[in-house]
Amino acid sequence: GDSVTQMEGPVTLSEEAFLTINCTYTATGYPSLFWYVQYPGEGLQLLLKATKADDKGSNKGFEATYRKETTSFHLEKGSVQVSDSAVYFCALSEKNYGQNFVFGPGTRLSVLP
Amino acid sequence: SQTIHQWPATLVQPVGSPLSLECTVEGTSNPNLYWYRQAAGRGLQLLFYSVGIGQISSEVPQNLSASRPQDRQFILSSKKLLLSDSGFYLCAWNQPGLRNEKLFFGSGTQLSVL
């Protein structure tokens, strides 16, 4: 079945450091890919998405590129802020009717001032 | 605009007691509805999803059940809670028909079973 693998956390960075969170996926078809963010005590919010190969999703300084050849969707940000501290989930959706979202285990990011 | 409401935000229940968590969506019709559980330090596990009134699909066997009595209402229940039911429960919805439609999440319910 479909699956999503993320780098193990927690990740601790200093403010203004460069961030990469790796995500790879396994899917039988041609999925859409997503990054969701969860701030403490809250539900998940969509951060960015990409629906086809070589698409780049971007939002709030975060970027991720859909790489079909390496089945990857790594999240990057050039300069993190303390407010970026959260748990980040990579996810895919493959079924035609949007019912089948598969989430990675999440990566906790802590940014220190 | 669409909104999703989930309550209660926090719940502490003894082992063996019943459970009822409610989720409602406003501003849309015939949404797909989902219940996820997030155990401490772990990822999201899909528990149930529904594509219409009275239509429930279960992803994992457990002592929980779900019901959809109205188009925009989704309820998670248990007759007798277990310690292992503790976790963060999230309701979500999306619009059917497009596979790239994002999920919208509620704010979650932190359930502690003691």
Side-chain angles (χ1 to χ4, degrees):
Chain A
D2 296 352
S3 66
V4 175
T5 303
Q6 288 179 238
M7 62 188 291
E8 293 288 332
V11 174
T12 303
L13 297 173
S14 298
E15 205 165 23
E16 299 184 359
F18 185 86
L19 169 70
T20 299
I21 301 178
N22 290 337
C23 170
T24 56
Y25 67 90
T26 302
T28 55
Y30 200 175
S32 295
L33 302 175
F34 305 80
W35 277 101
Y36 281 83
V37 59
Q38 184 182 30
Y39 298 103
E42 299 182 9
L44 278 70
Q45 305 171 27
L46 179 68
L47 181 59
L48 52 84
K49 72 175 184 181
T51 58
K52 60 182 186 296
D54 300 325
D55 263 4
K56 177 185 286 188
S58 62
N59 186 25
K60 299 181 181 179
F62 290 89
E63 293 183 341
T65 301
Y66 191 143
R67 300 291 186 196
K68 191 171 186 294
E69 64 276 13
T70 55
T71 62
S72 64
F73 193 53
H74 304 322
L75 182 68
E76 297 181 337
K77 186 173 185 181
S79 176
V80 293
Q81 306 300 311
V82 173
S83 58
D84 293 327
S85 298
V87 181
Y88 293 82
F89 292 89
C90 186
L92 66 82
S93 173
E94 186 165 33
K95 291 290 176 61
N96 287 333
Y97 295 97
Q99 299 159 12
N100 185 25
F101 274 77
V102 177
F103 285 85
T107 302
R108 182 175 298 278
L109 170 66
S110 296
V111 181
L112 305 178
Chain B
S1 63
Q2 302 94 351
T3 56
I4 178 169
H5 303 281
Q6 186 181 341
W7 67 92
T10 306
L11 192 59
V12 180
Q13 292 285 97
V15 170
S17 63
L19 172 73
S20 180
L21 302 181
E22 189 163 342
C23 173
T24 59
V25 179
E26 296 177 357
T28 188
S29 60
N30 196 32
N32 290 333
L33 295 171
Y34 306 81
W35 277 111
Y36 285 89
R37 177 169 61 199
Q38 184 179 19
R42 299 176 65 180
L44 290 172
Q45 179 186 34
L46 178 63
L47 302 175
F48 302 94
Y49 71 88
S50 171
V51 300
I53 296 174
Q55 301 177 61
I56 309 295
S57 296
S58 174
E59 291 294 302
V60 293
Q62 58 216 330
N63 71 320
L64 301 172
S65 62
S67 61
R68 186 170 176 174
Q70 301 180 41
D71 181 45
R72 292 168 289 173
Q73 184 184 29
F74 205 26
I75 299 173
L76 182 70
S77 304
S78 174
K79 293 182 179 178
K80 288 186 178 181
L81 283 169
L82 306 173
L83 286 174
S84 58
D85 291 324
S86 294
F88 193 56
Y89 289 81
L90 288 160
C91 181
W93 75 275
N94 70 351
Q95 207 63 46
L98 296 174
R99 65 179 175 89
N100 58 354
E101 278 298 309
K102 66 181 181 181
L103 282 173
F104 297 87
F105 284 86
S107 53
T109 297
Q110 184 65 55
L111 172 66
S112 298
V113 182
L114 306 178

